[in-house]
Amino acid sequence: MNSTPILLDWPQLDDRTEFKEAVLAGLSRTPRAIPAKFLYDAQGSALFDAICELPEYYLTRTEIQILRRHSSEIADLAGAGCALVEFGSGSSVKSRLLIEALKDLQSYVPIDVSRDHLDATAAQLRRDYPWLSVVPVGADYMTLTALPPRVNGAQRRLGFFPGSTIGNLEPKDATEFLRRARALLGDGSALVLGVDLKKDARLLHDAYNDGAGVTAAFTLNLLRRMNRELDANFDLSGFAHEAFYNPAQGRIEIYFRSLRSQTVHVAGQVFRFQEGERVHTEYSYKYDDVGIGELARSGGFAIEKIWRDPVRLFAVCFLAAT
Ligand code: AVI
């Protein structure tokens, strides 16, 4: 059975206000930082899709390969009659591998803040899988507290959080995400989690500093977005993308850096940037087995199985709720 999107938590009218408040607060504090979620407007999402195709950005194709190789094992562990709940579904490319492998899938529940993405994805999935009940939820999965009642008839709720997006959360927020997912999915549930692993710093560096400059365009799109939406006047030639691996913290750190001393107006306020001053935009934490175990436990899950790519060092984990 199909349906129109269920928009439980759709803050569309407040989007620009939220962006403005976050930017003004982020540029006023020391050190300066703007939350990573604001990188993903329509242009940012398109640039991220392009990043996923880059030769240096191994994460997406490695994870797809693992899912392809092990989807029937995942389906066996999950059992029949699940509701598949995807956190931050985007265009649901990876979930198709699970949709096709899971037995007697009761429903597919993509959760995403981007309504455009959600509508288009749901429509396409309904065309491609007419037998599937697609139940889209327009919401921020970090704040969502309930799933639509239609999902209640499933044997089990199987969460799906691919892409190592968990790595974009600071460890305490990653734990908080898992706790919330555990509460949302309920007793007896499970979660398929994609996690990028610690590896040679050079490979990591290259993945976030690609030769074609797409990652730089992705970071600097945040400045364009501020110019577009907040009446800002960032001169893009005066700022540069900066990304490096911090081995002590086990994370990639991403910033935009001012190339000269300059003044910028944003939403009626004036901000002075020193030459070399950075504004933080993203972390991308990399895990090892111990870290994944600790993270899973802290969020109310236990590792049932991990599939790894031994060369690219990416893991897909099947976590069971404890
Ligand atoms: C979405 N997320 C998992 C990406 C990552 O690898 O941390 C975001 C990204 N930022 C720059 N490149 C990719």
Side-chain angles (χ1 to χ4, degrees), residues 74-149:
I74 294 173
D76 288 344
L77 283 176
C82 285
L84 178 64
V85 179
E86 182 166 9
F87 297 94
S89 49
S91 48
S92 300
V93 173
K94 296 166 190 166
S95 39
R96 284 169 178 263
L97 297 169
L98 295 186
I99 288 170
E100 287 170 20
L102 289 164
K103 293 162 210 149
D104 254 336
L105 186 59
Q106 191 256 8
S107 51
Y108 170 58
V109 186
I111 305 171
D112 205 291
V113 279
S114 165
R115 181 181 182 168
D116 293 343
H117 243 116
L118 204 56
D119 285 348
T121 299
Q124 190 57 50
L125 287 172
R126 287 173 184 143
R127 276 194 291 278
D128 295 344
Y129 307 105
W131 49 268
L132 182 63
S133 168
V134 181
V135 187
V137 176
D140 178 350
Y141 54 74
M142 289 301 278
T143 54
L144 186 67
T145 52
L147 290 175

Side-chain angles (χ1 to χ4, degrees), residues 13-318:
L13 288 175
D14 296 333
D15 277 1
R16 200 159 285 200
T17 311
E18 192 199 348
F19 181 43
K20 181 172 134 187
E21 283 170 3
V23 165
L24 293 179
L27 294 180
S28 303
R29 80 169 72 96
T30 312
R32 287 174 162 161
I34 297 174
K37 69 174 183 176
F38 296 110
L39 291 162
Y40 296 90
D41 64 345
Q43 283 91 334
S45 299
L47 283 164
F48 180 65
D49 286 348
I51 287 175
C52 294
E53 304 286 327
L54 292 169
E56 296 95 334
Y57 196 75
Y58 58 86
L59 287 81
T60 310
R61 81 181 67 87
T62 308
E63 184 177 47
I64 288 174
Q65 207 171 64
I66 298 173
L67 288 169
R68 215 167 250 145
R69 235 172 239 162
H70 299 287
S71 59
S72 62
E73 244 181 295
I74 294 173
D76 288 344
L77 283 176
C82 285
L84 178 64
V85 179
E86 182 166 9
F87 297 94
S89 49
S91 48
S92 300
V93 173
K94 296 166 190 166
S95 39
R96 284 169 178 263
L97 297 169
L98 295 186
I99 288 170
E100 287 170 20
L102 289 164
K103 293 162 210 149
D104 254 336
L105 186 59
Q106 191 256 8
S107 51
Y108 170 58
V109 186
I111 305 171
D112 205 291
V113 279
S114 165
R115 181 181 182 168
D116 293 343
H117 243 116
L118 204 56
D119 285 348
T121 299
Q124 190 57 50
L125 287 172
R126 287 173 184 143
R127 276 194 291 278
D128 295 344
Y129 307 105
W131 49 268
L132 182 63
S133 168
V134 181
V135 187
V137 176
D140 178 350
Y141 54 74
M142 289 301 278
T143 54
L144 186 67
T145 52
L147 290 175
R150 183 121 49 93
V151 179
N152 291 342
Q155 292 295 322
R156 184 184 210 188
R157 291 172 175 186
L158 177 67
F160 187 37
F161 195 40
S164 200
T165 303
I166 192 123
N168 297 129
L169 302 173
E170 294 212 48
K172 64 171 187 350
D173 296 330
T175 294
E176 179 60 20
F177 164 76
L178 288 179
R179 288 202 181 127
R180 284 178 166 275
R182 166 72 184 77
L184 195 68
L185 296 168
D187 291 344
S189 62
L191 178 70
V192 176
L193 180 70
V195 187
D196 195 19
L197 302 175
K198 291 186 174 160
K199 60 180 64 68
D200 180 62
R202 186 79 240 164
L203 281 177
L204 286 170
H205 183 272
D206 290 351
Y208 294 87
N209 290 280
D210 64 278
V214 182
T215 311
F218 174 68
T219 300
L220 296 179
N221 177 60
L222 189 55
L223 281 63
R224 289 186 202 278
R225 181 174 181 188
M226 290 187 272
N227 286 352
R228 273 194 305 268
E229 296 184 20
L230 304 183
D231 201 19
N233 65 344
F234 281 97
D235 171 3
L236 266 77
S237 69
F239 292 87
H241 159 83
E242 182 172 300
F244 58 86
Y245 185 60
N246 177 338
Q249 298 291 338
R251 68 189 182 203
I252 288 281
E253 300 186 4
I254 306 184
Y255 304 84
F256 62 84
R257 185 164 46 84
S258 179
L259 298 174
R260 54 176 188 261
S261 128
Q262 55 190 315
T263 299
V264 179
H265 293 78
V266 183
Q269 294 197 20
V270 181
F271 296 95
R272 178 116 206 106
F273 291 87
Q274 304 300 326
E275 181 180 346
E277 187 178 347
R278 303 183 307 197
V279 179
H280 175 254
T281 56
E282 273 183 292
Y283 289 133
S284 191
Y285 280 83
K286 309 302 169 185
Y287 283 86
D288 55 21
D289 283 13
V290 174
I292 294 174
E294 284 170 2
L295 180 64
R297 258 192 310 284
S298 71
F301 289 94
I303 299 173
E304 216 164 297
K305 178 102 195 181
I306 300 187
W307 301 273
R308 289 178 194 76
D309 181 300
V311 178
R312 290 297 178 184
L313 296 175
F314 192 96
V316 172
C317 314
F318 191 98

